[in-house]
Amino acid sequence: MRTRTRTTGAIALAATAALALSACSSGGESGGGESGDDSITIGIKYDQPGLGFMEGDTPSGFDVDVATYVAEKLGYSADQIEWKEAPSAQRETLLSTNQVDMIFATYSITDERRESVSFAGPYFVAGQDLLVAADNTDITGPEDLEGKNLCSVTGSTSAQRIKDDYAAGVNLLEQPGYAECVTALVAGSVDAVTTDDIILAALGAQPANQGKVKVVGNPFSEEKYGVGLPPESDQCETVNEALQAMIDDGSWEASIQKHTEGTGYTPSADNPPTFDPCQ
């Protein structure tokens, strides 16, 4: 969407020659997306296996699959996507300063965020849930955590919400990241891990954890993951059309299943997200 410009004499000369050739031509193809731009810059998480994860120069995960599908519907091939890390605390800045064209990064739509950026979607509706050992039959919801050990990430409100609203006697353990929480769960140091259900499922589907953990499947909140767009963007309707196409052709559900396999997490295309009105 944003082309890169250079001002060297050689490139200026080449551009002049290209224009001359174009004037003699009967037509031609654009160099990229719908507006003829040569690339699109998309923000993702780099540290969420199964959702947005960067290994070397190779991104992977559900968010990456959705972003790639949307970009291709907008006219950009996979090799025209420039990936940029979008940590939670930097997402609004990246969009408002036009450092990225879009963000797919478990980016919950809220009224507060709408004051500074635009959104398309949501492309997924998550809910806070619990991850427990695969053979655990005692924990079926947050009320069952009384006296149990619960892990979440430092600074997250997820675990505190359970302590405040569901199980005052739960013992909270904080770790730097959710991967460390799942490691503690597999080792038996904690009884459960809590955050959004699809994040838990994606972590549980990692090779080291497969078959050892499961998502309880009793969500008790709602988080609508939207496509972050720059303020005043006119891309909302176009992005929503691409998202609908992904849902309709089965790619959306196939990607979720691929990245959460073996965790008991089975959201269905029979109940896809409903898009918010574009603003």
Side-chain angles (χ1 to χ4, degrees):
M1 287 186 175
R2 296 184 306 281
T3 55
R4 275 60 176 167
T5 58
R6 296 173 176 81
T7 58
T8 64
I11 290 180
L13 181 62
T16 302
L19 286 171
L21 287 172
S22 175
C24 298
S25 173
S26 61
E29 295 182 357
S30 66
E34 292 178 343
S35 61
D37 297 336
D38 61 356
S39 66
I40 182 171
T41 304
I42 298 179
I44 58 170
K45 294 287 184 67
Y46 278 16
D47 59 354
Q48 285 189 336
L51 287 163
F53 188 73
M54 185 67 77
E55 186 171 8
D57 295 327
T58 304
S60 63
F62 173 62
D63 283 353
V64 174
D65 290 349
V66 178
T68 301
Y69 190 103
V70 169
E72 289 180 347
K73 286 293 185 182
L74 294 176
Y76 297 91
S77 61
D79 61 4
Q80 289 177 302
I81 300 173
E82 297 185 5
W83 302 103
K84 186 175 182 66
E85 187 172 14
S88 296
Q90 298 178 22
R91 291 176 298 199
E92 284 81 31
T93 299
L94 290 170
L95 288 167
S96 62
T97 58
N98 292 304
Q99 295 182 58
V100 295
D101 296 302
M102 299 178 181
I103 287 180
F104 297 74
T106 58
Y107 198 6
S108 295
I109 300 172
T110 67
D111 290 339
E112 181 180 1
R113 288 171 176 162
R114 283 191 185 278
E115 293 178 1
S116 57
V117 300
S118 298
F119 284 100
Y123 62 91
F124 191 82
V125 179
Q128 186 176 343
D129 210 327
L130 303 171
L131 191 72
V132 298
D135 60 356
N136 187 311
T137 59
D138 297 328
I139 298 175
T140 60
E143 299 87 352
D144 298 323
L145 291 171
E146 193 70 31
K148 301 289 198 304
N149 297 319
L150 174 67
C151 188
S152 192
V153 169
T154 302
S156 168
T157 60
S158 300
Q160 190 62 47
R161 180 184 297 133
I162 289 177
K163 188 175 183 67
D164 292 343
D165 298 341
Y166 297 97
V170 67
N171 303 308
L172 303 184
L173 171 69
E174 292 186 335
Q175 291 289 341
Y178 289 111
E180 290 87 346
C181 277
V182 178
T183 297
L185 176 63
V186 171
S189 302
V190 298
D191 300 292
V193 181
T194 190
T195 188
D196 293 353
D197 49 10
I198 193 170
I199 296 176
L200 295 173
L203 286 166
Q206 297 306 299
N209 304 322
Q210 280 188 349
K212 300 175 182 178
V213 295
K214 66 180 180 182
V215 178
V216 167
N218 184 18
F220 46 97
S221 74
E222 182 177 275
E223 301 291 338
K224 299 192 293 184
Y225 292 169
V227 181
L229 301 169
E232 310 303 328
S233 170
D234 61 359
Q235 291 289 309
C236 177
E237 294 287 358
T238 305
V239 171
N240 282 350
E241 289 174 4
L243 295 174
Q244 189 62 57
M246 186 178 189
I247 292 169
D248 291 344
D249 70 15
S251 302
W252 178 82
E253 186 171 27
S255 177
I256 294 173
Q257 291 176 345
K258 171 186 175 183
H259 295 294
T260 62
E261 185 176 4
T263 61
Y265 184 69
T266 55
S268 172
D270 294 336
N271 188 29
T274 299
F275 304 144
D276 291 348
C278 291
Q279 298 182 356

